[in-house]
Structures are given as C-alpha cells and as structure tokens.
Amino acid sequence: MATMLFRMAMAAICAVVLGWSGAAEARAADTVRVDGGLIAGAAADGVRTFFGVPYAAPPVGDLRWRAPQPVKPWDGVRSATAFSPVCRQTAPWITEPQSEDCLYLNIWAPAAPSSAKRPVMVWIHGGGFFGGSGSQALYDGTRLARRDVIVVTLNYRLGVLGFFSHPDLTAESPDHVSGNQGILDQIAALRWIHDNIAAVGGDPDRVTIMGESAGGESVAILVASPLAKGLFQRAISESGNYGLPLDPAEARQFDKTEAEAAGAAFARAEGASGIAALRALPADQLLRAAWSPRTVVEGHLLREDLTTLYRTGRQNRVPILVGWNADEGKDLAPEIFATSQFTAERHAALLEGLLHRTPSAAMLAKYPARTDAEARASIDQFTTDYWGWRIWFWARLQAAGASDKAYVYHFVHSPTEPLEPCGYGCKAGHGAEIRYVFDQLQQDARPWGADDRLLADQIAGYWTNFAKSGDPNGAGLPRWTPFDGSDRTIHRLGTPAEAVERGPVDFDVFEP
C-alpha cells in the first residue's frame, strides 16, 4: 500500500526544478569545513546557500541497499553552488538529472552574523516514497531563512532502491535487518546536521524535522525510532499518517517476513539468484519492474508498529505540529482505494475493504451513495475525513502524554485559482499548503489576493516560531491552542469565513 502514499503529481502544484535564479548575482560565500572537507557556497539577498553537500557515501556498487556509509573525504575546496542529481525514481513529475549517487543536502542560512546559534528546519520531501527531491522549487528555503532560521532539504533513496527487503540483505547486515534504506538515509542526514550545522551558524540542539505526505509519514517514523533519538527536538508532519496501523490487517503490510518474501520474489522475477546478482543489474532494469515501496517493522529502525509505540509512550519525546487539508480526498481517493470506479453499487464494499470492517449505518448515512454522482462526492469527502481522523488519532495519542504537546491544524483555505486549469492539489488539496509554509506564492503566476499573502505570512510565522521554541504562537498571530482531543483545539488555517464553512469536524463514525 506504499503506492497509496499519494502519487503526488507535483507538476500540477508547481513542483518544478529550482533553477537557482540568483546564481548570476550571487557572490562567493565564506568557505566552511564539514565532514569530508571544505565547501564553498554562495550568498545573495541576505541568504547564504550551500547546495549539493554530501552527507553520506554514494550508495552504488556494493553499497546499493546497504545502510548509508560515512562521507568520503575530498581534496581542496568543493563547490556547493549547484544542486546534486536526485535519487533514481519513476515519478513522472521529476525532470531533474537522476543518479544512484544522490545522498546530498542543501542549506539556506541567514547571511547576517548572529551571536546566538539559529534553529534548524529540516524538510523531508513527499512523493509516496517513490518520487520527489530536496531541490524542487516549492522547497526553496530563501524566504524562511530570512525569518532567522536555517533551512535544510535533502534527498533520500526511493522506490526499489530505497525500500527493499531481501533475506540476503538481512543476513549480511550487522543489525540482521533489511529495508527502510530511505529512512536510514534521513537519519544519516540528521546525524550530519547534528555534527556540522554549527559551521553555518546552526544550533544542533534546536532541530525541527518537517515533511509532507510521505515526508510527513517519515516524520512520524523518525519520532518513533530509537535510531533518531536526540537528532531533533521538534517535529512537523503535513498530511502524512499512513504509517500508523489501526488494526491487525493494516499492521501486516509492515511485516518483516512478508517484506523479505516480496524481495525474494522480485529477485526471481528479474532472474537474479541473490542480492549479489541484483546488485549487478543496472538501475534502469530495476526501475522498470513493478515495486511498491513500504516501510518495515524490522526490529531495528522500528521495534514495533507506530501505533503501539505512540500508545505506550515509547516514541522520542518531542512536541509535534500536525494537520491535514480540507480537500485532499479527491487527490488521494484513487490511490487509497486503488481504483477510480466510485459507483453506488461498489460504495459499501470499497469502504469495507479500506476499513477492514463492515461500515456502520451511521457511516453510510454520512457518506451516502444513492447515485453514482453522490457516491463519487461521498468518497471524496470520506477520504478527506478518513485522512483527518488518522491525523487526529496520532495527535490524540501524543496529547495523552504528560509533557509532549501536540498542535493540530486543518488547512481550509482555497487559494486563488491558477491561470491554467488545476488538475491536482486544487483548492485545499493535497500539498496545497506547501507554498504557504515556504512563503513561496510568487513562484506561481497567479493573481494572489490579500488573503493568500496574509495566510502565507501567518503559516511561515507559525512554523518558524515552532522551530524556535516548540510553540507556534507569536506576536501578531491568532492564538493556537495545544490540542486536547477536542475540535475546538484544531486550528483552522484560512479566513474566518472558510473556518466556519469547513468546521467543525466529527470523526465519531470512524471509531472502531
């Protein structure tokens, strides 16, 4: 079900490659020393940048599918003024050059000197664990860096190269596990940040991880994993929640034995006798084969499923800021249900297949399907609410702890319509909040209104405040109350009229 993690057709929401527009005007930045050697970036408009910085050894050859290894040192000064290739993938919206040698990160830091170390915000991209990159245009950290924070984006291995289990891999691993390579890459990047970010003025003890969709699910995993303990102090997850199994049927998709069996079957289908033969195959051949990337509860990165870890309070104890968008269902329904045939006849069976139980009369009344048109509209709303309920479920587990606060948002704003027809992420759709988080409205040539600009300023303010203190509140911002399980503590991100129109939410029909 990993492919259900949202085929983020980011081309439809402006996730194009960031051709660094300021390169011609940028001047050389100070050279700094990091693991591996000296790097030199650039500086322009009050922001220093370091792009394409290696945080691990290239995972190629014998290192394909192994846990990330330390950076290989280089001689002289390494230029850090251009993005690296992105990780090999099958995502159609990514047009950047690709390579298996892709474990690099990018940094935006204020150029102005500071007597205090600055908080660090680490963005983990989405894309269903099969696509995306840290250099997509929407993730340009320039405007956030001007709010006195340091922004880091990163690449991590994807698809069959980043989420692959096999008995041979388990046998050769010193930890006797396999899979989750992409998440281990994220941890390696966080460890690099912890050890090196002070070189550009960052505070290694004030790191916030944040991500959307599969990046948001990555955040949930990192908060739960003992391997990430101490590498960050706050966590933001946007529309990422599928990693929390809510029943035994869901938990099976994360099973180590099933994952290894799937990997062995993949090898046989490719005519490979074992992992050595698979490593000898070109990446192009591996990527042409069908593969559904998924994370695995393998006893190392994850010792138990996320729901059990959060319910028993064995996650890393950090405050979280989490939420979902009001129109995600239309984007996510085809992936979640693995079909686009949402008819009245199939309606109840589709709900039962997803929930692993017969839908109640109250649920069928709330999401009626007397006609095919009504069934389609109900599926869209059901999917949005189901997504929100899973976020609410996670936050409720967090809020039950004695000291770790949760802040929950509901993004209800319908952005100004694009100049061309919108195909994905429309209105408050999947990923619609990202341009507001990074305060990057100007990347999209829409006739943005005052409501859009105000909301972008507010959301960027909330997110950076949270990174600085663990509390999103600050001067000039509407008060955001910590989540206590009630609707009144879900913070609506939108105009007052939109907040009234889209709320309150009622998740009672989803309770088992």
Side-chain angles (χ1 to χ4, degrees):
M1 292 179 72
T3 55
M4 297 192 324
L5 289 166
F6 351 125
R7 290 186 182 274
M8 295 203 22
M10 296 296 288
I13 56 172
C14 305
V16 295
V17 180
L18 177 58
W20 182 243
S21 60
E25 298 80 17
R27 61 174 176 80
D30 294 337
T31 299
V32 299
R33 181 172 294 279
V34 297
D35 286 355
L38 296 170
I39 58 172
D45 300 325
V47 176
R48 304 165 70 196
T49 57
F50 300 88
F51 297 155
V53 180
Y55 68 82
V60 299
D62 189 52
L63 295 185
R64 180 189 278 177
W65 291 309
R66 292 188 190 273
Q69 300 299 303
V71 169
K72 293 183 176 180
W74 57 87
D75 296 324
V77 179
R78 183 187 182 104
S79 175
T81 59
F83 293 123
S84 72
V86 306
C87 292
R88 292 301 309 270
Q89 58 189 270
T90 58
W93 68 86
I94 293 296
T95 59
E96 301 162 84
Q98 299 182 18
S99 173
E100 279 193 82
D101 178 5
C102 63
L103 301 186
Y104 299 85
L105 53 77
N106 314 296
I107 302 170
W108 289 259
S114 173
S115 59
K117 295 177 181 178
R118 293 180 166 104
V120 183
M121 303 178 75
V122 182
W123 176 259
I124 303 170
H125 70 77
F129 292 131
F130 70 88
S133 78
S135 50
Q136 291 172 237
L138 282 177
Y139 313 151
D140 178 359
T142 300
R143 294 177 70 87
L144 287 185
R146 290 177 184 152
R147 295 172 179 264
D148 209 36
V149 299
I150 292 173
V151 178
V152 182
T153 68
L154 58 100
N155 296 334
Y156 58 94
R157 282 174 285 181
L158 301 164
V160 69
L161 296 170
F163 296 86
F164 184 73
S165 298
H166 189 280
D168 289 357
L169 288 174
T170 300
E172 74 179 19
S173 165
D175 301 304
H176 309 292
V177 297
S178 63
N180 298 330
Q181 293 91 348
I183 307 297
L184 295 174
D185 292 343
Q186 296 168 14
I187 292 174
L190 289 171
R191 189 171 294 112
W192 187 98
I193 291 164
H194 180 272
D195 294 343
N196 294 277
I197 203 65
V200 294
D203 186 347
D205 296 319
R206 246 191 324 166
V207 174
T208 298
I209 55 172
M210 61 180 190
E212 187 267 350
S213 195
E217 180 172 346
S218 297
V219 168
I221 292 168
L222 293 169
V223 173
S225 175
L227 301 187
K229 184 177 178 61
L231 297 178
F232 57 90
Q233 289 69 45
R234 348 215 186 275
I236 300 173
S237 176
E238 303 166 25
S239 302
N241 59 8
Y242 219 84
L244 277 75
L246 303 178
D247 55 56
E250 278 194 14
R252 281 197 295 273
Q253 69 177 302
F254 305 101
D255 181 72
K256 170 185 174 181
T257 302
E258 290 195 13
E260 290 182 356
F266 179 93
R268 290 192 296 271
E270 294 303 304
S273 58
I275 204 65
L278 276 179
R279 284 192 172 117
L281 295 178
D284 286 344
Q285 178 176 339
L286 298 175
L287 292 170
R288 283 194 297 269
W291 184 255
S292 296
R294 56 177 170 173
T295 55
V296 184
V297 178
E298 26 68 298
H300 181 57
L301 175 79
L302 289 176
R303 296 174 181 171
E304 296 177 276
D305 69 83
L306 296 191
T307 300
T308 299
L309 289 169
Y310 281 103
R311 179 173 282 137
T312 55
R314 295 201 296 275
Q315 77 274 27
N316 296 313
R317 309 310 295 263
V318 298
I320 64 172
L321 188 156
V322 300
W324 80 103
N325 298 355
D327 295 307
E328 296 188 281
K330 183 177 181 180
D331 305 316
L332 298 175
E335 290 298 328
I336 290 178
F337 287 98
T339 182
S340 295
Q341 301 302 310
F342 300 120
T343 62
E345 182 181 7
R346 304 182 67 199
H347 185 70
L350 286 172
L351 299 189
E352 181 173 353
L354 182 66
L355 297 169
H356 308 294
R357 65 179 189 271
T358 302
S360 66
M363 178 175 286
L364 292 175
K366 185 172 184 178
Y367 305 102
R370 289 162 294 201
T371 66
D372 287 351
E374 187 175 61
R376 171 75 241 201
S378 287
I379 283 289
D380 288 350
Q381 189 59 54
F382 170 90
T383 306
T384 294
D385 294 346
Y386 178 69
W387 214 243
W389 172 63
R390 297 181 71 103
I391 291 284
W392 175 84
F393 176 81
W394 175 16
R396 187 175 62 173
L397 293 179
Q398 175 83 0
S403 59
D404 306 314
K405 289 184 178 179
Y407 294 90
V408 178
Y409 71 85
H410 189 199
F411 183 85
V412 299
H413 181 58
S414 293
T416 295
E417 289 294 317
L419 298 177
E420 298 180 358
C422 180
Y424 191 97
C426 308
K427 301 180 71 175
H430 194 56
E433 85 290 351
I434 297 174
R435 58 175 64 89
Y436 295 85
V437 169
F438 283 87
D439 195 8
Q440 288 289 349
L441 299 185
Q442 82 287 346
Q443 288 189 13
D444 193 350
R446 304 187 190 189
W448 298 106
D451 289 341
D452 296 302
R453 291 188 290 271
L454 175 62
L455 187 60
D457 182 66
Q458 288 180 343
I459 292 179
Y462 282 133
W463 265 234
T464 52
N465 286 345
F466 185 76
K468 293 172 182 178
S469 68
D471 186 330
N473 292 290
L477 293 172
R479 179 70 184 170
W480 190 334
T481 304
F483 183 68
D484 65 6
S486 67
D487 177 81
R488 67 178 182 83
T489 56
I490 297 175
H491 193 69
R492 266 75 193 188
L493 295 174
T495 67
E498 288 171 325
V500 171
E501 177 187 0
R502 303 291 194 135
V505 295
D506 179 5
F507 296 133
D508 286 349
V509 296
F510 291 99
E511 291 295 284

